[in-house]
Amino acid sequence: MQSAVPRTLEFDRVRDALAREASTPLGRARALALEPSADRDDVRARLETTVEAATFTRSGALDLDAPDDLADILGVLEIQDQPLEPLALIGLARFLDSVEHVADRVKAAAADDLTLPRLTAIARRAVSFAAEVAAVRRAIQPSGDVSDDASPLLREIRDKLRRARAKLRSTLEGLSRGRDTAKYLQDQIVSDRNGRYVLVVRAEHREAIPGIVHGSSASGASLYLEPLSTVELNNDVVGLAEREREEIHRILLGLTNAFRLRPDDVETTLDVAADFDELSAKARLARRMDGIAPDLADDGRVELRGARHPLLIAAVRDLLEDGGGARGPAVVIPSDLVVAPPAKALVISGPNTGGKTVALKAMGLLAVMAQSGLLIPVEPGSRITPFRSVFADIGDDQSIAASLSTFSARIANLVAMNRALVSPALVLLDEVGSGTDPVEGGALGTAVIDHFRRRGATVVATTHDDALKSYAATTTGVATAAFGFNPDTYAPTYRLIYGAPGRSLALEIAERLGMPAEVIVDARARRSGRESQLAAHLARVDAELETLQRERDRIDAERQAVAEDRRKLLAHEARVAEREAVLKKRTDDKLNEKLREARAEVDRIVGQLKERADALGSRLTRPGGAGSTVSTGDVGALRAQARSALGAISEAAGLGGSEPDLPPPLSTAPAAGTRVFVVAFGAEGTVASASGTRVEVDVNGKRMRVKLGDLRALTGRDRVKPRETGRADRRPSAATSSDPLVATTRDLVVVGATVDDAVARIEKFLDDAVLADERRLRIVHGRGTGRLRDGIKEYLREHPLVMSAKAAGEDEGGSAATIVELK
């Protein structure tokens, strides 16, 4: 970057603004020395770090607590055996502690899943001075006084000093009130002269009180006299005070040396502090400008969407803060500043005072700011190329001292730019070719743009010259754009329109600014026919561009309306989904509540059934009841009652499922050997005999008499699946229980299943057994490798309903089966 470019583009003013945002001398020095980088990776790293700082400062802060005289304090640290003053030590301790505190906050934020890798890397470099800071705070009070607790010796000296001073003051006060001496005193007070306590004696009574004179008042009427009787006491006070000063010096030197002996750590922490403060200033400046990080390109493009000049933003903010907004709206109109391949040059034209030079400076300034790691006021989608050299030829460079006219000075500047150019380069030319004959100047300006473009530079130029406008409009690789204006008032709109050259509107603007009408008429008459035709053509082009711009604005407005409608629709869908989730949760909660109520009712009914079963069983053991039997009808009725009660619970809970589809009840007694389904028992059986409406059925080896209406005829196709998961049947029980409801052993075959599948089936098998009040079960799992058997036993060992689980006897399958006893 040319040495004059920061001043030309006003980057120095941006650095000044950045320095005002810093809170420490270190940060201010960094801001004022900020320079752009030409290295793409370095630029990316700078921008990413600033983005992280801006992200962090939205919820935290990088502010440091640094004393204004920090530079002087650091200078004293470089002088051996020189202690810092108490307040300087407090300031240094406070500053180093604030660096550590900020570093800890950054690391804590990173631990909370914020993406802050670069900021965290800076924080991890910070060195702790916790012990040194604590020592300073113990030894020095916030007022700057060294505490008595700074050392045991200091406490001892001060205790003695307080006692000595009290004794001395008491003696002097006694003399001041004594009859023999009070009459010679000017005032009955004890004063201090050069660290020694004295009495104020009238000058004419100098000889009345023996002692040492330590000076006189300005008028000479009073003398400061130390009585001889207190000289020794004063000597003790002075001696103790000197010892106090020496001890304080030793303490301050020790506290200072604690920092001085860690020069590398101090240097590292200072560098971290400078990084934090610089980033904090960049984040604050970005907030003021609504800045973002542009994307980086490598093809020489400058693509700044919705760009605003940073200094105009600052000026508007100052105007609004000063109450200037009351005089009218103060806004910065954004513009798209774009030079993108295949174009390598952009020629901007338009009316005077339309914003051409501001746009030129903004393009260069925003590029330099981004390369310096500053977030810039553009819209997302903006991209820049990190340039190795940036040149700007803007303004009046006339030099009387160097005997150079404006034209000569600008030519000298262009020559220097050509010599120093290194690609990728950005060249900014304001009114290129002006300051000389219009024809020759236009030709020269065209040649200059073409020369820099051929050398690979990205060129942006402003012009009023028709030759340059024609060149830009007809040359491949050169884009043209113009600032718009109000067609009625010719007032500038400050909006850049791409695609066609614009009119300068010199005569129209002069007329609007009050130039006499006869001058304007004469000027129009003096234009050549070609110039008039060109002006008319450009006017038609302007009108067409204005129409296109209005259409574009309308389309943009419609696009924004569609986007807003889509946003509202998505928000509505989100609200609907949220309401559905809430309703589902409420439904689930109600269902869970019904399930809890159903389980409680099941428990109650099972209890009642157990009581009735026990009552039936007791009839078998009651005296005189030997040989009695419980009728199959009683057992069937009990089971039917249980099923009816459980069905009512299921229906009440909204969980009711239908029974398996069954054939209609039998109307005539079936023949012996017919397979039937016994509804009361939920099992299949074989008819043994029939008598009227009573039928004797064999169910798994047990004969029972049931009503004809409780039977269903079965065919092979109509066989009803057992309730158990897996193959299950009823076999003669080996149990000794007298309960007629558990007089059988229920089987579940899981041979060949995986452990997980078997456990799932066993879980339902146990639930069904509990509902049927069966207490002895057999699970057939086979021998195999034993893995299935061990998995089942492990599951049963932890099951709350299982009382015991052991291998079956040899007559029930041995190690290929497990007998389960329920509680």
Side-chain angles (χ1 to χ4, degrees):
M1 186 167 64
Q2 283 178 304
S3 58
V5 166
R7 177 182 54 81
T8 302
L9 297 179
E10 299 181 281
F11 182 58
D12 52 345
R13 292 181 60 190
V14 173
R15 288 190 291 211
D16 289 340
L18 182 64
R20 287 193 295 271
E21 300 292 347
S23 58
T24 72
L26 300 173
R28 286 189 284 274
R30 283 277 192 93
L32 294 174
L34 186 65
E35 290 289 343
S37 171
D39 182 79
R40 178 188 175 86
D41 292 336
D42 185 42
V43 172
R44 174 175 283 105
R46 289 189 185 195
L47 289 172
E48 288 177 354
T49 308
T50 305
V51 169
E52 289 183 19
T55 300
F56 177 78
T57 54
R58 282 198 289 267
S59 58
L62 294 171
D63 294 339
L64 303 175
D65 188 357
D68 291 335
D69 58 346
L70 181 61
D72 296 335
I73 293 173
L74 297 176
V76 173
L77 284 182
E78 297 177 358
I79 304 173
Q80 291 298 320
D81 299 327
Q82 177 70 36
L84 285 167
E85 294 299 320
L87 287 176
L89 274 169
I90 289 177
L92 178 61
R94 193 172 62 240
F95 168 66
L96 295 175
D97 186 55
S98 70
V99 176
E100 184 178 1
H101 182 58
V102 169
D104 288 343
R105 285 208 311 271
V106 170
K107 288 183 282 189
D112 290 338
D113 294 332
L114 282 178
T115 307
L116 304 170
R118 298 184 183 277
L119 201 59
T120 304
I122 296 173
R124 286 179 179 150
R125 287 170 30 224
V127 183
S128 176
F129 288 87
E132 291 80 0
V133 169
V136 169
R137 289 175 174 168
R138 281 195 305 270
I140 304 175
Q141 297 173 356
S143 61
D145 296 325
V146 178
S147 172
D148 291 355
D149 297 326
S151 76
L153 180 58
L154 181 62
R155 175 174 288 281
E156 178 185 348
I157 293 171
R158 284 184 170 173
D159 287 343
K160 290 180 180 179
L161 185 57
R162 279 190 286 268
R163 289 194 296 270
R165 282 174 174 161
K167 183 177 180 181
L168 176 58
R169 182 175 288 277
S170 176
T171 301
L172 288 172
E173 288 176 350
L175 289 174
S176 68
R177 291 192 297 270
R179 287 188 303 172
D180 295 336
T181 54
K183 57 188 175 183
Y184 304 120
L185 301 180
Q186 183 73 35
D187 293 302
Q188 291 184 341
I189 61 172
V190 177
S191 184
D192 181 287
R193 297 294 288 181
N194 302 321
R196 302 183 75 88
Y197 289 152
V198 296
L199 297 175
V200 183
V201 180
R202 294 192 193 92
E204 61 269 24
H205 300 302
R206 163 66 183 82
E207 304 297 333
I209 301 176
I212 302 170
V213 175
H214 288 281
S216 61
S217 64
S219 63
S222 301
L223 302 176
Y224 299 105
L225 183 136
E226 178 185 1
L228 290 178
S229 59
T230 62
V231 169
E232 198 62 36
L233 291 174
N234 255 319
N235 288 341
D236 291 343
V237 168
V238 170
L240 287 169
E242 180 61 27
R243 289 183 62 194
E244 180 190 33
R245 284 191 293 273
E246 291 173 355
E247 179 62 9
I248 289 174
H249 181 276
R250 186 192 68 79
I251 292 169
L252 296 178
L253 183 59
L255 294 172
T256 304
N257 285 339
F259 298 106
R260 185 177 286 140
L261 294 175
R262 299 177 61 185
D264 293 339
D265 290 344
V266 170
E267 188 65 29
T268 298
T269 302
L270 290 175
D271 190 52
V272 170
D275 286 342
F276 278 153
D277 198 26
E278 179 186 6
L279 289 171
S280 177
K282 286 180 176 180
R284 277 195 287 264
L285 189 64
R287 281 198 301 273
R288 288 182 177 275
M289 297 187 301
D290 296 326
I292 65 169
D295 297 328
L296 299 184
D298 55 8
D299 55 2
R301 76 176 59 229
V302 180
E303 195 170 351
L304 302 174
R305 303 290 178 182
R308 293 164 295 147
H309 196 294
L311 299 179
L312 287 181
I313 296 173
V316 167
R317 287 187 183 277
D318 292 343
L319 182 62
L320 293 175
E321 289 172 2
D322 292 341
R327 295 189 295 271
V331 294
V332 179
I333 298 173
S335 293
D336 290 340
L337 306 177
V338 180
V339 187
K344 291 290 291 183
L346 172 67
V347 176
I348 302 175
S349 59
N352 292 295
T353 71
K356 298 187 300 298
T357 302
V358 171
L360 192 69
K361 285 186 174 182
M363 183 172 281
L365 180 58
L366 292 174
V368 171
M369 287 174 63
Q371 289 182 223
S372 302
L374 294 171
L375 306 188
I376 56 177
V378 294
E379 293 176 356
S382 297
R383 292 187 289 175
I384 67 157
T385 299
F387 296 105
R388 296 182 62 189
S389 49
V390 178
F391 304 102
D393 181 52
I394 300 173
D396 188 348
D397 290 326
Q398 184 178 33
S399 173
I400 297 175
S403 300
L404 292 176
S405 66
T406 297
F407 180 76
S408 300
R410 299 189 70 173
I411 293 299
N413 193 22
L414 292 173
V415 171
M417 290 161 55
N418 184 56
R419 288 181 184 145
L421 188 142
V422 179
S423 293
L426 177 63
V427 178
L428 307 173
L429 305 172
D430 188 31
E431 299 296 342
V432 59
S434 62
T436 186
D437 176 75
V439 176
E440 293 185 354
L444 180 61
T446 301
V448 167
I449 294 174
D450 231 25
H451 172 74
F452 283 124
R453 185 169 65 91
R454 286 196 302 270
R455 288 200 61 185
T458 299
V459 184
V460 185
T462 64
T463 187
H464 287 288
D465 191 276
D466 289 339
L468 273 170
K469 294 177 186 179
S470 299
Y471 158 77
T474 58
T475 303
T476 302
V478 181
T480 182
F483 275 97
F485 58 92
N486 187 305
D488 298 323
T489 64
Y490 298 108
T493 62
Y494 303 107
R495 298 184 63 179
L496 195 59
I497 302 171
Y498 286 80
R503 289 188 290 163
S504 297
L505 299 177
L507 300 181
E508 289 81 359
I509 291 174
E511 184 177 20
R512 184 170 67 89
L513 295 178
M515 182 67 71
E518 58 270 20
V519 175
I520 302 299
V521 171
D522 187 30
R524 286 197 174 103
R526 291 176 183 272
R527 289 188 302 187
S528 67
R530 176 181 173 278
E531 290 168 344
S532 298
Q533 290 176 356
L534 179 60
H537 172 70
L538 290 178
R540 287 193 297 274
V541 170
D542 284 339
E544 292 173 359
L545 285 177
E546 183 64 27
T547 301
L548 288 174
Q549 187 62 42
R550 283 198 298 269
E551 185 65 17
R552 184 179 299 144
D553 291 344
R554 184 185 63 79
I555 293 172
D556 287 343
E558 290 178 355
R559 184 184 295 114
Q560 291 176 3
V562 170
E564 179 64 18
D565 290 343
R566 183 175 183 275
R567 185 191 64 78
K568 291 179 180 178
L569 180 60
L570 292 175
H572 176 70
E573 290 178 352
R575 288 194 298 271
V576 170
E578 183 179 358
R579 285 197 295 269
E580 288 178 350
V582 171
L583 290 174
K584 183 178 182 302
K585 184 178 184 306
R586 289 177 181 173
T587 302
D588 290 345
D589 290 344
K590 290 180 180 178
L591 182 59
N592 290 334
E593 180 63 27
K594 287 185 177 181
L595 286 174
R596 285 192 292 271
E597 293 173 356
R599 290 192 186 102
E601 185 65 15
V602 166
D603 291 341
R604 186 185 65 80
I605 292 173
V606 167
Q608 292 177 353
L609 292 175
K610 285 184 177 180
E611 291 176 0
R612 295 184 182 182
D614 290 341
L616 289 174
S618 66
R619 289 165 52 185
L620 297 177
T621 58
R622 188 182 306 156
S628 300
T629 60
V630 178
S631 71
T632 303
D634 290 337
V635 174
L638 190 58
R639 288 187 178 276
Q641 183 181 358
R643 289 180 180 278
S644 175
L646 292 176
I649 293 171
S650 176
E651 184 177 353
L655 304 172
S658 61
E659 289 287 335
D661 292 334
L662 296 174
L666 293 176
S667 58
T668 60
T674 304
R675 294 290 294 172
V676 294
F677 181 77
V678 184
V679 176
F681 291 93
E684 298 176 15
T686 303
V687 174
S689 64
S691 175
T693 60
R694 291 284 180 176
V695 180
E696 187 174 333
V697 182
D698 185 304
V699 178
N700 292 331
K702 291 289 184 180
R703 292 200 175 192
M704 55 191 72
R705 293 183 65 84
V706 298
K707 294 178 181 179
L708 181 62
D710 286 339
L711 299 180
R712 302 289 187 273
L714 291 179
T715 64
R717 186 176 55 188
D718 295 330
R719 292 182 63 85
V720 179
K721 290 184 180 179
R723 293 190 189 91
E724 299 81 21
T725 301
R727 290 170 295 166
D729 55 19
R730 298 184 182 272
R731 298 171 184 262
S733 173
T736 59
S737 171
S738 62
D739 191 339
L741 289 180
V742 291
T744 61
T745 298
R746 194 173 188 180
D747 289 353
L748 172 66
V749 180
V750 293
V751 176
T754 64
V755 173
D756 289 340
D757 183 40
V759 166
R761 294 163 66 184
I762 290 169
E763 182 177 15
K764 185 176 186 305
F765 182 56
L766 295 178
D767 291 342
D768 290 345
V770 170
L771 288 175
D773 201 20
E774 295 170 336
R775 299 180 185 173
R776 191 174 191 275
L777 311 173
R778 184 173 71 156
I779 301 174
V780 181
H781 43 67
R783 290 183 176 85
T785 63
R787 182 178 178 185
L788 179 59
R789 178 194 62 218
D790 294 341
I792 291 172
K793 286 186 176 180
E794 181 67 25
Y795 168 72
L796 294 173
R797 189 162 34 247
E798 302 296 331
H799 200 287
L801 297 177
V802 175
M803 183 170 64
S804 67
K806 58 186 177 182
E810 290 302 323
D811 60 336
E812 291 185 295
S815 60
T818 297
I819 300 298
V820 181
E821 295 284 348
L822 299 183
K823 295 177 181 178

